[in-house]
Amino acid sequence: MSPRFTAILVFGASCAGLPCRSLAGQTAPVSIRVNADDRIGPMTPVWAWFGYDEPNYTYMKDGKKLLSELAALSPVPVYVRTHNLLTSGDGTPALKWGSTNAYTEDASGRPVYDWTIVDRIMDAYLERKMRPLVEIGFMPEALSAKPRPYKHAWEPGRDYAEIYTGWAYPPKDYAKWSELVYQWVRHSVARYGRAEVERWYWEVWNEPDIGYWRGTPEEYLKLYDYAAQGLKRALPSAKIGGPHVTGPVSPRTQRYLRTFIEHCLRGTNYATGKAGSPLDVVAFHAKGAPQVMPDGHVRMGVSQQLRAIHNGFAVVASFPELKGVPIVIGESDPEGCAACPIRTHPQNGYRNGTMYSSYTAEQIARTYQLADLQGVNLMGAVTWAFEFEGQRYFEGFRDLATNGIAKPVLNVFRMLGQMGGDRVGVVSSGALSLEAVRDSGVRAYPDVAALASRSEREIAVLVWNYHDDDLPAPPAQVDLQIDGVPIDEPTITNYRIDAQHSNAYEVWKKLGSPQSPTAPQYRELEQAGQLQLLEPARRVPTASGRVVVTFALPRQGVSLVKLAW
């Protein structure tokens, strides 16, 4: 950890000269100091990456609405990752399922390519100036070494392992697999242009260390090599990576990630017979672990997610050859099943309200710090949440919107979209250390901390009051001091997510939790789902380049304070 972060993330008796928490466990006023002249590093928009299992939701009514909102919240192109882009079927979506029928074979076994549905998905992204993180998978039925059964009928409450059917097996013919990738990339270049496709990232499969891959680890390496061969043959400048393993908390998963990297750097390529395989980006996943406590409340597990991120970064950093190679956390979430609702998985009770939004602010800010600590090039962290078309309102899926109504968590990304330039120094008397949150979570005290950025004409400070336990608590009284303001009387705005602001879920409950809201009710919910101000924007006096603002921040609340000139 750099000396700067050691000073920023203080927790102990001295509190670096700032007001400490009282020993009785009550939260004393929290002093947060921002030094806008202390530039730490770029405010890389690692949060502007999203993904989901069901690709056919992409071009449906609420799917297109949400894509438009995601594109609008970011000043840079948003990247999107989705499963099932090569899965066989008629395009009818279901939970944990989607299909494009891109590959079939005729009676003689000759390949037949049909990019109609794939194009609808990619068109939806590119029309909004988004870019795909293209997942090459899963195995078409006609190419699978063990095709039957193929389409699963999984639903919440059933054994999750039921989803692993014929699409999860290796190809019966690796040459045909390579040719399939070649034809896909060639078609993409013809349709969208070489310059556009060169901006995409391609990856092979998903979580090959668990049931998503029914082959051996060696067969996954072979799958990767043949896919990379097809891709580079069609477009030598295309960027590819992997292996998108599950969270590297366990030694087993860390070994899988390490073996993959060693193969790409020095192993014998299964497709070419030469040394090594293309590796333009390294990717792994990271998930938390919420649980239901004996009294019924939900306790989050941010520590597990951060430890997975830390371990993944450490594996990559251990290879000097990968210095500067971008890393993507291909799924970065509080737990592992977006399609498992609260009614069957009560530990997911965080999803509709402010617990999800405050957790997200905490986790993303700490992920920046972990990247700084390991000295790695973090390019993206994919939030695996989208929407579930045609489901009940606020059913408790891990999604960003429900029936076109934004959930509170979406507003965290709207806040992050207003941050840019460089990250700058922050000291908070209410912040836990990075090591404490990574290793033990946020259990004894809340974490009242901040992430700040400075661009040419703005300073932005994201402040959160997070605790792993979803229990009532007094608000934190925040004294925010911003130094290095270059102008007198900038305009200050304070955006807020809490029970009364940017929270369609609370409004929906007040309306009686309607599953068929009237048109006026729907408009009210749409408005409640937008990012809202705590108070009207105003001019604020500056004294020697300093602005001071105070406010109360409820437990699990998030504020974005901006100074603009």
Side-chain angles (χ1 to χ4, degrees):
M1 177 176 286
S2 69
R4 179 182 293 113
F5 273 107
T6 302
I8 290 169
L9 300 170
V10 294
F11 177 58
S14 68
C15 296
L18 299 175
C20 291
R21 309 168 195 272
S22 74
L23 296 179
Q26 298 298 315
T27 303
V30 175
S31 176
I32 298 177
R33 299 179 183 176
V34 176
N35 182 354
D37 292 325
D38 180 20
R39 298 176 188 263
I40 295 170
M43 183 73 194
T44 306
V46 300
W47 51 268
W49 298 64
F50 301 91
Y52 45 102
D53 290 78
E54 302 86 0
N56 307 104
Y57 291 157
T58 302
Y59 47 79
M60 294 182 173
K61 177 176 69 71
D62 291 332
K64 291 191 291 186
K65 180 179 181 180
L66 181 53
L67 285 177
S68 295
E69 292 184 331
L70 293 177
L73 64 81
S74 175
V76 299
V78 170
Y79 279 86
V80 188
R81 174 178 186 254
T82 185
H83 295 338
N84 292 299
L85 287 174
L86 294 177
T87 305
S88 299
D90 62 5
T92 301
L95 297 181
K96 302 292 297 181
W97 178 261
S99 58
T100 66
N101 230 39
Y103 179 94
T104 56
E105 293 181 357
D106 65 17
S108 301
R110 289 188 294 264
V112 177
Y113 304 103
D114 184 348
W115 307 111
T116 303
I117 296 178
V118 172
D119 287 346
R120 291 184 69 185
I121 295 166
M122 298 300 169
D123 288 352
Y125 301 153
L126 296 178
E127 287 166 1
R128 293 162 176 81
K129 302 188 186 310
M130 306 172 101
R131 291 176 185 156
L133 169 56
V134 188
E135 182 183 309
I136 303 174
F138 294 118
M139 195 58 61
E141 185 173 12
L143 200 50
S144 174
K146 189 178 178 182
R148 303 297 174 84
Y150 193 77
K151 185 180 186 303
H152 66 72
W154 179 86
E155 59 184 28
R158 296 176 62 167
D159 183 0
Y160 192 82
E162 292 180 12
I163 72 170
Y164 304 131
T165 54
W167 56 264
Y169 283 85
K172 63 184 181 183
D173 186 323
Y174 281 89
K176 285 184 174 181
W177 167 254
S178 181
E179 183 68 15
L180 167 58
V181 177
Y182 168 79
Q183 293 293 339
W184 187 3
V185 178
R186 184 168 174 265
H187 169 80
S188 299
V189 171
R191 185 175 181 85
Y192 304 113
R194 180 188 183 97
E196 173 59 41
V197 180
E198 286 178 331
R199 299 185 182 101
W200 302 3
Y201 289 89
W202 300 74
E203 46 108 346
V204 182
W205 221 254
N206 175 71
E207 298 182 341
D209 55 316
I210 62 171
Y212 277 92
W213 177 244
R214 307 300 269 185
T216 66
E218 293 74 20
E219 286 172 320
Y220 172 71
L221 298 177
K222 186 175 182 180
L223 184 87
Y224 182 89
D225 289 348
Y226 274 89
Q229 180 197 47
L231 177 112
K232 295 288 188 176
R233 183 160 65 94
L235 182 61
S237 54
K239 297 183 285 285
I240 191 169
H244 283 270
V245 291
T246 56
V249 175
S250 72
R252 175 184 174 275
T253 306
Q254 293 175 53
R255 285 195 300 271
Y256 205 113
L257 177 59
R258 184 175 295 278
T259 298
F260 169 80
I261 294 172
E262 289 174 343
H263 172 77
C264 290
L265 294 178
R266 291 177 280 274
T268 301
N269 189 298
Y270 285 93
T272 67
K274 299 178 180 178
S277 197
L279 184 60
D280 304 301
V281 58
V282 181
F284 59 86
H285 298 174
K287 306 286 185 176
Q291 57 184 309
V292 178
M293 302 305 290
D295 65 356
H297 84 270
V298 172
R299 169 177 282 182
M300 304 301 286
V302 70
S303 171
Q304 176 168 302
Q305 185 174 355
L306 296 178
R307 282 186 285 115
I309 294 169
H310 174 93
N311 292 345
F313 288 167
V315 170
V316 178
S318 70
F319 290 90
E321 304 96 321
L322 297 182
K323 182 71 174 178
V325 170
I327 295 173
V328 171
I329 307 172
E331 296 179 20
S332 188
D333 305 291
E335 39 66 41
C337 180
C340 298
I342 294 170
R343 60 182 168 83
T344 57
H345 294 72
Q347 69 270 29
N348 296 338
Y350 71 89
R351 290 174 167 181
N352 287 330
T354 57
M355 191 75 182
Y356 192 6
S357 44
S358 64
Y359 179 104
T360 299
E362 171 83 41
Q363 175 266 310
I364 289 175
R366 299 302 188 167
T367 299
Y368 278 113
Q369 294 168 3
L370 288 170
D372 291 339
L373 177 66
Q374 300 278 7
V376 296
N377 178 18
L378 176 62
M379 180 172 65
V382 179
T383 293
W384 201 256
F386 189 56
E387 65 95 21
F388 290 85
E389 200 88 17
Q391 299 291 334
R392 289 166 56 85
Y393 283 76
F394 295 99
E395 183 71 353
F397 293 106
R398 182 167 14 95
D399 47 15
L400 303 172
T402 173
N403 290 280
I405 304 299
K407 288 186 171 183
V409 65
L410 182 56
N411 287 306
V412 170
F413 296 102
R414 289 174 172 147
M415 289 177 169
L416 289 164
Q418 298 189 56
M419 304 181 74
D422 291 319
R423 287 176 289 125
V424 296
V426 181
V427 179
S428 173
S429 65
L432 301 177
S433 72
L434 171 62
E435 292 81 2
V437 179
R438 179 196 64 199
D439 298 340
S440 304
V442 183
R443 301 292 167 85
Y445 293 99
D447 187 47
V448 185
L451 171 70
S453 68
R454 176 176 185 167
S455 56
E456 183 178 357
R457 304 185 66 83
E458 288 185 342
I459 297 169
V461 187
L462 186 74
V463 187
W464 59 89
N465 179 0
Y466 173 76
H467 198 289
D468 275 347
D469 289 293
D470 193 11
L471 292 169
Q477 301 298 321
V478 176
D479 177 6
L480 175 61
Q481 175 182 302
I482 305 173
D483 289 312
V485 182
I487 192 171
D488 293 333
E489 295 192 348
T491 298
I492 188 169
T493 52
N494 189 345
Y495 296 94
R496 169 63 62 81
I497 305 169
D498 60 22
Q500 285 76 43
H501 301 86
S502 316
N503 194 328
Y505 180 54
E506 292 297 327
V507 172
W508 179 73
K509 290 191 293 184
K510 290 177 182 176
L511 292 173
S513 305
Q515 287 299 332
S516 298
T518 64
Q521 286 176 328
Y522 190 88
R523 288 193 294 271
E524 183 177 357
L525 290 171
E526 272 190 312
Q527 182 59 39
Q530 299 303 303
L531 183 59
Q532 297 169 358
L533 287 168
L534 180 64
E535 59 185 5
R538 57 187 172 88
R539 303 291 289 274
V540 63
T542 306
S544 301
R546 173 177 295 173
V547 168
V548 177
V549 59
T550 61
F551 53 88
L553 185 61
R555 179 64 58 86
Q556 313 303 359
V558 184
S559 265
L560 177 70
V561 178
K562 288 180 60 181
L563 300 179
W565 57 89

